[in-house]
Amino acid sequence: MKKLLGLGLAGAVAFAGLATGASAQQKTLDTVKARGTVNCGVAPGTPGFSNPDDKGNWTGLDVDFCRAVAAAIFDDPTKVSFKPLTAKERFTALQSGEVDMLSRVTTWTLSRDSAMGLAFAGVMYYDGQGLMVPTKLGVKSAKELNGASVCVATGTTTELNLADYFRSNNMTYKPVVFEKAEELNAAYEAGRCDVYTTDASGLYAQRLRFKDPSAHIVLPEIISKEPLGPVVRQGDFQWFTLVKWTYFALLNGEELGITQANVADMAKSTNPEVKRFVGAEGEFGKGLGLTQDWAVRIIKGVGNYAEIYERNVGPNTPLKIARGINNLWNKGGLQYAPPIR
Amino acid sequence: MTGSTKAAGTFVAAADLAPPRSEVGVIGWLSKNLFSSWSNSLITLVCLWVTWRVVMGVLDWAVFSAVWTGNDGTVCQSANVGACWPFVTAKFGQFMYGRYPDSERWRVLLTYGLTAVTLAGLMIPAIPGKKWFGIFAVVGLPFISWGLLYGGMFGLPVVKTEFWGGLLVTLVVATVGIAGSFPIGIILALGRRSEMPVARWVSIFFIEVVRAVPLITILFMSSVMLPLFLPDGVSFDKLLRALIGVMLFSGAYMAETIRGGLQAIPRGQYEAADSLGLSFPQKMGLIVLPQALKLVIPGIVNSFVGLAKDTSLVLIIGIFDLLGIVQAGLTDAKWFAPGTAMTGYVFAAFVFWVICFSISRYSAWLEKRLSVGDRR
C-alpha cells in the first residue's frame, strides 16, 4: 500500500513537472492575445494597491499596472481579468499558468528570484518597514526608542526586521505580539505598547482607522527594504521584457512629461526622446511583440507613473503617502528607467 | 366558608372569590418567578441591570450615535460615533451580488425567485403538486439557475464566476453544498453498511479520509495543488473547484449522521421489508430511509447550519463570499474610519444569523410535523 502510494505521488509530481514545463514553453503573449484578456493576480484587499471601490471595480497601484499591460497589448485597459489571490496561493497560481503575471504587493527577494523560479520585472513601489508612535510621546526619531514596547504581527519578517534593527543600534525593546492587524490596532490604541510597526504603506492606512489619526506620527526611519513589484514566470523572456518595459514606459512617460491628457498632442512633438516614445521614430514596439504606439497606449489607458501614484496613494487620497523614495531619480527618488533607444 | 342558605337544608356554594391580586396576573407571575426570595430578587435586579446596559449599549451604537448618511469615511471619522451605516449603504450592491454587472442583476433575483417558489412548493404542505415540484427541483432548477447566473444560454451574456460575490456566492455555495451533500451522504452511509466489501471499503476510506482533514485543507488542495497536476490550458473554474470540495466534505459528515439514523432502525423493519419481497431500493426508499432520516433531522440540520457558516472559508482561496466582500470593502481607503470595520462585521453577522435561524426554524417545524406518530 505504502509503495503504491509512493508510486502514485511520484507520478503526480512528475506529471506536475511536465505540466509546468509545458506552460513555460508556450509564449505567454500569444496565449494572452488568443484569450483576449490578461489574467492578472492581485491582492484580495490592500488599501491603495488593490481594493474594490464602491462600484466593485478594482482600484489601486498594482491594479493599474495590470491595466497598463493590457493597454499595451490590446489598446484597452479594461481587458484584464483580475484574479484575487491570497499570499499563500499567489506563486502556485503563477507557476500553474492560472495567471500570466502577479501585481500583488510582493517583495523582491533573492530566494524568490532564484529557487522559486520567479522573475521580478521591476519595482512599482519601494516600501519598507516603518514605526508609528503617539504624538504625545514627543519622539522624533526611532533612535530615541530604547526600551520601548513595540506592537508587531507574529510570524512575519516584520518581527525579524524589528529585532535586527534594535540589535544593530544597541537598543532594547519589549515585543508585544499579535496575530492580526485588528488586534494590533486595538492593543496600540489602548496603550499596551508605545510603538506600532508594519510596512510604511500599511502604517498610513492603519492610522486612518484610529479614533484620532492626528494623534499619531510615522517616524522618518525605514528599517527594512521591501521592494514591491510585478512578477512573471521564468522561461519566457518575451513576456518578461514586455512587462518590464510597460513599467519603464510609465516612468519614462513621467520623466518626459507625457500625461494622459497631453499624450495625443505629444505625437507631434519634435523632441527626439518623445518621438521615440510615441513611436514616431524607430521600431521599438516590434521588438516587444507589440505595435509601434505601445507606449502611447499605456499612457492613454492609465496615465504615467505619477498619475497612477497620485490617483491611488498620493497626497490627495485618504492614504496621503508622499512620493519620498518613489520619486523619479532626478527628483531625489529611486525610480529610474533605461531610455527608449 | 361563607355558604349561604337559600332554602332550608340546601347548601349552595358561593361563587369562588378571585384569588388575591398578589397571586395572579403580571404581579403574581413576577412575585412567583422573579421575586420569590431576597436572593432571587437580587439576581433578578442584577440581570435586569445587565440587560438594560447591554440593550442600551447596542442601541446607542447602532441607532443613537450611528452615522446614517455620507459619501465617504470622513463622516464617521470622529472619536465618539457608533455604527457607520453609509459604508453598508454604499457597498450594499456589492455585498449582495459581488461584482456582478448592474444591468444583469435581475438574473440573480430571478434565480432567487425561482428557487424560493420551488422550495415553497416542496416545503409547504398546503401547496399541491409536490411530485412536479420535486422533479423540477432535481432536473430543471439546477440547470436553469446555472444558465441564468452564468449565462451563455437563452442569449444571455456570460458573467464569469470571478464576478460573483457577496451573498450570492454564500447562497450558491451553501445551497449546492447542502443539495449535493445529501445524496452523497445517503450513498456513503448505505455503502458503509453494505455487505459488499468493495463498496464498504471505498465508503469507509472516503469518509475517514475526508472527515479527518479540515475543510481549509480541502479548499487549499483544490485551489493550490490541483492546478499543478492539470495539464496546461486545462483549468477548472475556481468556484466550481470550491463547490466540489465543499460538497464532498459535507457529504462525508452527512454520511455519518445518516448512518446514525440507519443504525437506530430495528432489524425487524429490514426483515419485514424483506419478507414483503421488496427489492433493495424499495426497502430503503419506502421503509428504512423515511424512518431513519426523520430520526436524524436535528443532526442533518446541524450539518446544514454548520455548512452555511463554513462557506466563509472560501475567502481564504480568494473567492469573495459575504464575509470576504465585507473585508475587501474595508480595505477601501475611502471608507477608513474607526467604526467601519465593526459595522461591516455586524452587518455580515446579522445576514448569517437570518439565514441560519430560518433553516433551524423550518427544521423545528418539520420535526414536529413528522413526529405526530410518536409524540410524547
Side-chain angles (χ1 to χ4, degrees), chain A residues 128-150:
Chain A
Q129 191 172 334
L131 302 158
M132 176 164 57
V133 293
T135 322
K136 64 172 191 281
L137 282 187
V139 176
K140 291 276 171 294
S141 155
K143 298 269 164 35
E144 303 167 33
L145 289 175
N146 197 5
S149 55
V150 185

Side-chain angles (χ1 to χ4, degrees), chain A residues 161-212:
Chain A
N161 296 334
L162 183 70
D164 288 353
Y165 180 78
F166 272 81
R167 212 177 40 211
S168 59
N169 284 293
N170 288 322
M171 300 194 296
T172 58
Y173 73 104
K174 272 203 308 286
V176 183
V177 179
F178 292 96
E179 189 78 39
K180 289 216 171 72
E182 281 87 5
E183 295 171 301
L184 278 173
N185 278 3
Y188 173 74
E189 263 210 296
R192 284 192 54 193
C193 47
D194 310 317
V195 187
Y196 185 125
T197 183
T198 186
D199 282 356
S201 60
L203 279 182
Y204 289 100
Q206 294 305 340
R207 189 168 66 160
L208 287 172
R209 291 181 170 157
F210 292 151
K211 292 206 174 84
D212 181 10

Side-chain angles (χ1 to χ4, degrees), chain B residues 167-320:
Chain B
L167 187 64
L168 171 63
V169 160
T170 300
L171 290 179
V172 165
V173 176
T175 323
V176 172
I178 288 172
S181 69
F182 196 59
I184 294 178
I186 292 182
I187 292 169
L188 285 173
L190 292 176
R192 191 162 185 174
R193 285 171 58 83
S194 165
E195 272 148 27
M196 292 179 280
V198 176
R200 195 170 64 237
W201 291 339
V202 170
S203 305
I204 291 179
F205 179 78
F206 182 86
I207 292 172
E208 294 304 334
V209 167
V210 172
R211 225 165 38 128
V213 286
L215 179 56
I216 292 193
T217 319
I218 294 185
L219 290 174
F220 257 129
M221 282 294 283
S222 77
S223 93
V224 179
M225 297 299 289
L226 194 66
L228 281 180
F229 297 146
L230 291 172
D232 195 47
V234 180
S235 81
F236 282 120
D237 190 271
K238 202 168 173 182
L239 183 65
L240 187 67
R241 278 184 266 156
L243 282 178
I244 294 173
V246 167
M247 216 152 70
L248 294 180
F249 181 79
S250 51
Y253 272 86
M254 193 59 69
E256 289 297 279
T257 310
I258 293 173
R259 193 166 67 93
L262 289 175
Q263 274 172 346
I265 304 299
R267 184 138 200 92
Q269 296 287 328
Y270 292 86
E271 285 163 359
D274 287 335
S275 71
L276 283 172
L278 296 182
S279 66
F280 180 80
Q282 283 174 322
K283 177 170 79 176
M284 285 301 161
L286 297 173
I287 311 268
V288 179
L289 279 178
Q291 301 185 64
L293 293 181
K294 190 192 80 183
L295 283 174
V296 290
I297 287 179
I300 292 177
V301 172
N302 210 8
S303 309
F304 284 175
V305 171
L307 176 61
K309 289 184 291 187
D310 279 351
T311 52
S312 287
L313 290 177
V314 296
L315 76 90
I316 57 144
I317 57 169
I319 298 175
F320 294 113

